[in-house]
Amino acid sequence: MTSIPSSLTTPMTQRLELSDAQFRRISQLIHQRAGIVLADHKRDMVYNRLVRRLRTLALDDFGHYLSLLEGDTESTEWQAFINSLTTNLTAFFREAHHFPTLAEHAAKRRGEYRVWSAAASTGEEPYSIAMTLAKTLGNAPGRWKVHASDIDTEVLNKAQNGIYRQEELKTLTHQQLQNWFMRGTGPHTGLVKVRPELSNFVDFSSVNLLERHYNVPGPFDAIFCRNVMIYFDKATQQAILRRFIPLLKPGGLLFAGHSENFSHLVHEFSLRGQTVYALGKENG
């Protein structure tokens, strides 16, 4: 068998090298831009995700990619860099114990009930919130609203489109599927789309939780910030929690992820239930 001359081997067929120094620099940049802390064991993940960007950009060296980023602090590639390194594990009604608590809280409150899903990912969380509020409060205009945000613009686009594979809705009841989703036909068989009767109550925007001020329509009765704080260091967690305080109404709830504990970070929040925190005293 004739071997391929090395001169004809393209960068696309070679494994690129990610040096220790380059991995450290990538870790520093994603921490600065998004607050994400990358442990050493994430190195393979970083390589696998970013090498796709290098291929797309026809680059054959991580050093060249870093130079591209650092050469222009306003480059659109920064968003692609962030999108590549965020983790988006979600599901409809994930951490199901939160939703009865949300329903009970919403039923007691007056005025328009407003919720912020601060790490909305591909939309399963805000639509789960919306289904809960629709069942609890009805669909009268002005009765409730969900604002959904994420730093990753790619997953936010999917969330806004509200289109999912049928197997992604396996945790939903037949009634929920019938009430809130339309089944695709023909070339769209196997897909479902959120009905306007639900999606009209949910709006979306891109928000980086490291920003000093969040462009969101608060104040809210509840904030869901689940399974995102685990990627931040303690100082970043505290800073974000303090930014949440003026965005919550008195007695508002903060929903955390199953492995997150905010009890000793900010004294204004008190534990109300399993990974549920209340701001101040409940005032109904």
Side-chain angles (χ1 to χ4, degrees), residues 3-14:
S3 61
I4 301 173
S6 59
S7 60
L8 298 181
T9 303
T10 68
M12 298 299 178
T13 64
Q14 298 173 337

Side-chain angles (χ1 to χ4, degrees), residues 213-255:
H213 302 286
Y214 303 141
N215 185 23
V216 293
F220 300 97
D221 294 273
I223 294 176
F224 279 66
C225 188
R226 305 190 301 175
N227 306 301
V228 62
M229 292 287 207
I230 54 175
Y231 299 106
F232 301 145
D233 56 33
K234 184 177 179 181
T236 303
Q237 291 173 355
Q238 287 178 313
I240 291 170
L241 288 171
R242 294 206 173 279
R243 291 177 198 134
F244 284 167
I245 292 171
L247 291 172
L248 269 174
K249 299 175 187 178
L253 298 183
L254 173 63
F255 292 84

